[in-house]
Amino acid sequence: MFDANLMHAEEAPNGQFWFGTDEQGRDVYTRVLYGAQISLTVGIVSQIINSIIGLSLGISAAYWGGWWDDFVNGLTNVMLAIPSLIFALAIMAVLGPGLPSLLIALGLTNWSWTCRIARSSTLSLKGQGYVQAAQTLGYSDIRIMATQLLPNMVGPILVISTLGIGSAVLAEAALSFLGLGIRPPFPSWGSMLTGARELIVVAPWAAVFPGLAIFITVLGFNLLGDGLRDYLDPHMRTRQ
């Protein structure tokens, strides 16, 4: 996977090398599989960070209101106005390439939509009887948010998180393609595309298969998100 073997350099797909080899004789199939591990790890972990930030800010802003709600709304608007990839590029330029920096950059850039959904859900839920009953029983604000509000917004948060994983995979590939993602010799789909740019004529498989892996993964998470939305939304089920 990492070792070069120039005896097999730029071999077309065959029985031994299913996806062919690159300019250094490395098996593209093995590197694509290893890149999947990196991309899915980045996508899932970064989305977990995004969800924690977005849920914490959105629920607390809608529940407490006042200046905190105004501050969170303003911060969310600023984040939505800045392209997430540009913001991630700026963070990576400061922190440098590598997996930890990549997780931090992607984890701090895509929480705004989760925050918006959590805030709107909280605004519609905090007037419900069970929330008022919890307040009457003396539950703390944190306990009410965690036990009464959060469980009732799992559906929309799960949908947006699934879509966010696909976006994070695509962002990781873009950052790695630009040289700010995963460091060699560890392969990621974006860095594999970078190395295959000069081989597009003589060994196109070196670029085609990582590109297909990105396309299929992002498409799969988007379709999964759409399917979850249709399943969890009672109005969509009624129409069907």
Side-chain angles (χ1 to χ4, degrees):
M1 175 173 58
F2 303 133
D3 297 332
N5 186 351
L6 296 179
M7 296 292 294
H8 296 286
E10 300 178 5
E11 286 194 15
N14 54 57
Q16 182 179 3
F17 304 107
W18 292 357
F19 289 179
T21 61
D22 60 12
E23 76 282 5
Q24 299 183 36
R26 296 173 298 189
D27 184 16
V28 175
Y29 174 76
T30 305
R31 289 170 61 80
V32 167
L33 289 183
Y34 193 91
Q37 176 183 346
I38 294 176
S39 294
L40 292 177
T41 298
V42 170
I44 293 173
V45 174
S46 64
Q47 186 55 44
I48 290 174
I49 298 173
N50 286 327
S51 297
I52 292 174
I53 296 174
L55 287 171
S56 300
L57 292 177
I59 295 175
S60 62
Y63 187 79
W64 286 328
W67 69 269
W68 177 244
D69 190 23
D70 295 336
F71 172 77
V72 172
N73 267 330
L75 182 61
T76 303
N77 290 332
V78 170
M79 293 298 298
L80 289 173
I82 302 174
S84 57
L85 187 58
I86 300 299
F87 191 21
L89 280 170
I91 296 176
M92 293 296 295
V94 174
L95 299 179
L99 182 59
S101 301
L102 192 60
L103 293 175
I104 294 173
L106 295 180
L108 295 177
T109 54
N110 290 319
W111 54 265
S112 51
W113 288 112
T114 302
C115 180
R116 280 287 175 87
I117 292 175
R119 180 179 178 275
S120 62
S121 298
T122 302
L123 288 174
S124 64
L125 292 172
K126 70 176 185 178
Q128 298 294 322
Y130 58 86
V131 176
Q132 296 176 353
Q135 294 171 339
T136 303
L137 291 173
Y139 285 17
S140 66
D141 290 347
I142 301 299
R143 184 177 179 183
I144 292 174
M145 294 179 199
T147 62
Q148 307 300 318
L149 296 175
L150 181 60
N152 287 284
M153 60 180 74
V154 170
I157 296 301
L158 183 60
V159 172
I160 195 67
S161 297
T162 304
L163 297 174
I165 293 175
S167 298
V169 170
L170 190 60
E172 181 276 325
L175 291 171
S176 296
F177 181 80
L178 296 173
L180 292 174
I182 305 300
R183 292 178 176 178
F186 300 102
S188 73
W189 293 335
S191 61
M192 291 178 68
L193 288 175
T194 301
R197 285 181 301 178
E198 299 178 356
L199 304 175
I200 196 66
V201 175
V202 295
W205 50 85
V208 168
F209 290 110
L212 280 176
I214 296 171
F215 171 76
I216 293 172
T217 301
V218 175
L219 178 63
F221 277 109
N222 287 340
L223 292 177
L224 177 60
D226 289 340
L228 287 174
R229 181 200 61 192
D230 295 343
Y231 177 76
L232 296 173
D233 188 347
H235 299 290
M236 296 295 294
R237 292 202 300 270
T238 301
R239 293 175 186 175
Q240 295 174 356

